[in-house]
């Protein structure tokens, strides 16, 4: 089916249809010319027969007593291609040449009647009836109005000649129609099809990449309708591209604010934990300041949460450096806000001395986002383990938690902002930002498993 589709597809183009239609129209014109041309070919054939018969008649009349030998008579009849020749005068009828065998006449035609419709009818009747007829031709003699010539011939040679002529006309018509169609096709292709193809290709390229200036249409200097269409399309594309650029700038600004707000909310959450610790201090001055501090932090967190309804932004290029991974994981533990007496156990399984080649700040954000998601999933009780190991030229880091696992909706939209969150109030930006940062490093993050026994994310970072 695919092969048939490829074979049919070229005939759906404007160029192919134009070529086929031109061929058909020229062939139709040739057919209209062919019909009368065959009829007049038959007429000319019969006229020449009578002319040859007239010449033979004149040669016989010039002989003594109008007598010739049987051999000469048969030779003349053979050269003329006739069975008999009769000369009609004003008051006489003279049999000039005649075969010894008798014959019957199937049809009679008078060449004095040259009505085009009648000639066409006689020609096609000859082709349809068949080659076995014997016909009589009556032709007036030029400059002798009272005389005529009657010639009896077999119609088979005439039909053969008509078929040969028809085939010659057919091949000639086919060649002429092909050349004409090709010339018309090339002219129309140059004037119409090529410019229309440029317009359609420009539209398709603009639809696929509106921001790509290299695909912009360069209008020609034509003053016709196609030139107007090219200029109007170029103006429309320029205006749309400008509008899209402005919108992209606004979207990028909103996305940047969203991502900053997301990370800022994480930082403020840490400040909120510190404020909770300060509230346990019995110093009167501290007790006076802490409520206002907590209120301000709560307002800032709420503002960041409201801002997270906007999109995502492009991150800066990673500034890679080699650093120890174990201390960074300890910093993440402090930022998450886990204390010794809470119900969540933090297990740092990173081998001492393991180095990672990455942007330290960005990798801190990656681990912070994943660890905070794990803490929120376990709801105050469980275990978080972070493992790392070398695998050839890559480093594998696993973040494991003992939470209830990800719901189906979160797994279906994993790493999608505003869709892949496991919590109703979540945004899903944590996983989305983490994946974007990891991909920028040339690595990848995968969900190894999730279920009632917990969830494991695996990060592969290249050297």
């Amino acid at each position: 089916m695919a092969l048939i589709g490829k074979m049919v597809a070229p005939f759906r183009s404007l160029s192919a249809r134009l070529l086929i239609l031109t061929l058909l129209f020229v062939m139709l014109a040739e057919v209209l010319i062919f019909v009368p041309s065959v009829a007049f070919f038959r007429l000319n054939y019969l006229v020449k027969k009578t002319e040859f018969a007239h010449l033979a008649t004149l040669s016989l009349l010039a002989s003594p007593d109008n007598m010739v030998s049987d051999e000469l008579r048969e030779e003349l009849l053979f050269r003329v291609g006739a069975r008999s020749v009769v000369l009609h005068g004003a008051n006489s009828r003279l049999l000039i040449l005649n075969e010894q065998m008798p014959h019957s006449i199937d049809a009679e035609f008078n060449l004095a009647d040259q009505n085009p419709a009648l000639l066409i009818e006689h020609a096609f009747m000859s082709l349809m009836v068949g080659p076995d007829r014997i016909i009589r031709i009556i032709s007036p003699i030029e400059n002798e109005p009272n005389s005529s010539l009657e010639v009896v011939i077999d119609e088979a040679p005439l039909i053969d000649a008509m078929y040969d002529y028809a085939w010659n006309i057919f091949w000639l018509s086919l060649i002429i129609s092909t050349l004409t169609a090709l010339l018309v096709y090339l002219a129309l292709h140059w004037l119409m099809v090529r410019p229309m193809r440029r317009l359609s290709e420009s539209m398709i390229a603009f639809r696929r990449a509106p921001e790509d200036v290299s695909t912009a249409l360069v209008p020609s200097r034509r003053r016709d309708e196609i030139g107007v269409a090219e200029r109007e399309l170029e103006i429309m594309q320029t205006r749309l591209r400008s509008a899209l650029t402005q919108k992209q700038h606004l979207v990028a600004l909103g996305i940047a604010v969203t991502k900053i707000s997301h990370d800022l909310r994480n930082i403020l959450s840490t400040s909120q934990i510190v404020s909770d610790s300060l509230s346990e201090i019995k110093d009167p001055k501290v007790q006076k300041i802490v409520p206002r501090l907590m209120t301000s932090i709560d307002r800032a967190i709420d503002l960041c949460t409201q801002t997270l309804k906007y999109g995502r932004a492009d991150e800066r290029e990673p500034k890679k450096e080699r650093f120890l991974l174990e201390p960074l994981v300890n910093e993440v533990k402090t930022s998450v806000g886990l204390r010794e007496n809470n119900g969540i156990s933090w297990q740092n399984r990173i081998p001492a001395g393991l180095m990672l080649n990455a942007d330290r700040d960005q990798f801190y954000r990656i681990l912070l986002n994943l660890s905070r998601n794990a803490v929120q999933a376990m709801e105050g009780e469980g275990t978080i383990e972070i493992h790392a190991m070398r695998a050839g030229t890559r480093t594998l880091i696993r973040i494991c938690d003992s939470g209830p696992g990800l719901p189906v909706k979160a797994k279906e939209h994993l790493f999608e902002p505003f869709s892949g969150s496991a919590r109703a109030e979540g945004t899903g930006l944590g996983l989305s930002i983490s994946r974007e940062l990891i991909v920028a490093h040339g690595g990848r993050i995968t969900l190894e498993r999730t279920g009632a026994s917990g969830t494991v994310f695996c990060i592969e970072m290249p050297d």
Side-chain angles (χ1 to χ4, degrees):
M1 293 297 293
L3 179 61
I4 295 176
K6 291 181 180 179
M7 295 173 61
V8 175
F11 295 96
R12 295 179 179 174
S13 65
L14 184 60
S15 302
R17 291 179 179 180
L18 180 62
L19 179 61
I20 293 173
L21 287 176
T22 307
L23 280 170
L24 291 177
F25 291 152
V26 175
M27 286 298 292
L28 179 61
E30 292 292 340
V31 168
L32 296 177
I33 297 173
F34 169 78
V35 172
S37 65
V38 170
F40 283 102
F41 172 81
R42 176 179 178 274
L43 175 64
N44 291 331
Y45 181 93
L46 296 179
V47 168
K48 288 181 180 180
K49 282 290 184 183
T50 56
E51 289 176 352
F52 292 154
H54 189 217
L55 290 175
T57 301
L58 293 178
S59 63
L60 288 175
L61 292 176
S63 63
D65 301 325
N66 298 333
M67 296 295 293
V68 294
S69 64
D70 293 339
E71 291 81 7
L72 180 59
R73 184 183 69 250
E74 291 177 0
E75 181 67 17
L76 289 174
L77 287 174
F78 175 78
R79 295 298 178 185
V80 173
R83 287 178 175 266
S84 66
V85 178
V86 178
L87 178 63
H88 292 270
N91 298 309
S92 64
R93 181 175 183 272
L94 181 62
L95 180 62
I96 304 299
L97 295 172
N98 186 33
E99 288 183 342
Q100 297 296 332
M101 56 180 294
H103 54 266
S104 61
I105 306 301
D106 298 315
E108 180 177 306
F109 303 100
N110 192 339
L111 300 185
D113 188 1
Q114 297 190 6
N115 185 305
L118 190 60
L119 292 176
I120 293 174
E121 178 184 353
H122 290 165
F124 282 90
M125 185 180 296
S126 298
L127 294 174
M128 290 185 295
V129 170
D132 297 328
R133 295 196 306 176
I134 296 176
I135 60 175
R136 177 187 290 119
I137 307 167
I138 299 176
S139 173
I141 298 176
E142 188 177 1
N143 300 325
E144 295 182 24
N146 296 324
S147 300
S148 63
L149 197 64
E150 175 185 320
V151 182
V152 177
I153 63 173
D154 290 311
E155 200 176 28
L158 170 60
I159 294 176
D160 292 337
M162 290 175 66
Y163 275 119
D164 292 338
Y165 176 79
W167 278 111
N168 292 335
I169 289 292
F170 170 77
W171 289 114
L172 182 62
S173 301
L174 184 60
I175 295 173
I176 293 175
S177 62
T178 303
L179 292 176
T180 305
L182 183 61
L183 293 175
V184 173
Y185 166 78
L186 292 176
L188 294 179
H189 181 81
W190 181 264
L191 294 175
M192 295 182 60
V193 176
R194 287 182 67 254
M196 293 298 295
R197 185 175 296 167
R198 286 184 65 240
L199 288 174
S200 60
E201 290 175 351
S202 178
M203 293 177 186
I204 294 172
F206 183 81
R207 174 179 60 82
R208 291 176 176 172
E211 70 283 350
D212 190 358
V213 183
S214 63
T215 61
L217 176 69
V218 179
S220 63
R221 298 182 180 179
R222 297 177 60 158
R223 299 298 178 185
D224 54 10
E225 292 79 1
I226 294 180
V228 173
E230 290 177 345
R231 289 187 289 273
E232 290 298 324
L233 178 61
E234 190 267 340
I235 293 172
M236 182 187 69
Q237 289 180 347
T238 302
R239 292 179 178 176
L240 283 175
R241 190 174 288 111
S242 176
L244 288 173
T245 302
Q246 293 178 359
K247 289 183 179 181
Q248 287 174 353
H249 290 166
L250 294 175
V251 169
L253 179 61
I255 290 171
V257 172
T258 301
K259 298 180 73 171
I260 293 171
S261 298
H262 179 270
D263 289 342
L264 182 60
R265 186 182 66 169
N266 291 339
I267 297 172
L268 290 173
S269 298
T270 304
S271 301
Q272 190 177 39
I273 294 171
V274 175
S275 300
D276 291 338
S277 301
L278 290 175
S279 65
E280 298 176 2
I281 300 176
K282 304 301 181 181
D283 190 302
K285 291 183 178 180
V286 175
Q287 292 295 323
K288 184 178 180 180
I289 295 173
V290 167
R292 286 184 294 174
L293 178 61
M294 294 183 66
T295 301
S296 299
I297 292 175
D298 289 338
R299 287 177 178 173
I301 292 175
D302 183 67
L303 177 61
C304 291
T305 302
Q306 295 297 323
T307 308
L308 290 178
K309 61 179 64 176
Y310 298 100
R312 44 176 302 203
D314 293 332
E315 296 287 346
R316 65 172 173 81
E317 289 292 326
K319 297 179 180 179
K320 294 184 178 182
E321 58 178 338
R322 294 185 64 81
F323 60 89
L324 290 171
L325 184 58
E326 183 185 15
L328 181 66
V329 173
N330 292 331
E331 291 180 25
V332 172
K333 175 186 176 181
T334 304
S335 299
V336 171
L338 298 180
R339 292 193 294 268
E340 297 296 334
N341 57 355
N342 64 9
I344 297 178
S345 173
W346 179 277
Q347 304 292 332
N348 187 346
R349 305 295 187 185
I350 305 297
L354 180 64
M355 304 289 289
L356 189 67
N357 183 31
D359 188 309
R360 195 177 192 281
D361 292 337
Q362 289 187 354
F363 205 76
Y364 169 82
R365 290 173 58 190
I366 294 169
L367 294 179
L368 181 62
N369 285 327
L370 295 173
S371 300
R372 191 177 297 280
N373 287 345
V375 170
Q376 293 172 349
M378 290 186 293
E379 298 181 349
E381 185 175 356
T383 302
I384 297 177
E385 294 184 6
I386 300 181
H387 302 263
M389 61 178 292
R390 297 285 300 164
T393 60
R394 306 177 77 83
T395 302
L396 304 181
I397 301 103
R398 288 181 172 85
I399 298 91
C400 314
D401 67 66
S402 59
L406 296 175
V408 176
K409 181 179 179 181
K411 288 190 293 183
E412 291 176 350
H413 300 280
L414 202 62
F415 306 118
E416 294 182 15
F418 308 105
S419 301
S421 176
R423 298 178 295 115
E425 67 276 11
T427 62
L429 278 172
L431 285 176
S432 176
I433 294 173
S434 298
R435 179 180 181 276
E436 182 179 345
L437 294 175
I438 293 170
V439 171
H441 281 78
R444 65 172 183 167
I445 179 172
T446 56
L447 176 65
E448 282 197 349
R449 63 177 176 86
T450 184
S453 61
T455 300
V456 178
F457 282 97
C458 180
I459 302 173
E460 294 184 30
M461 296 293 290
D463 291 339

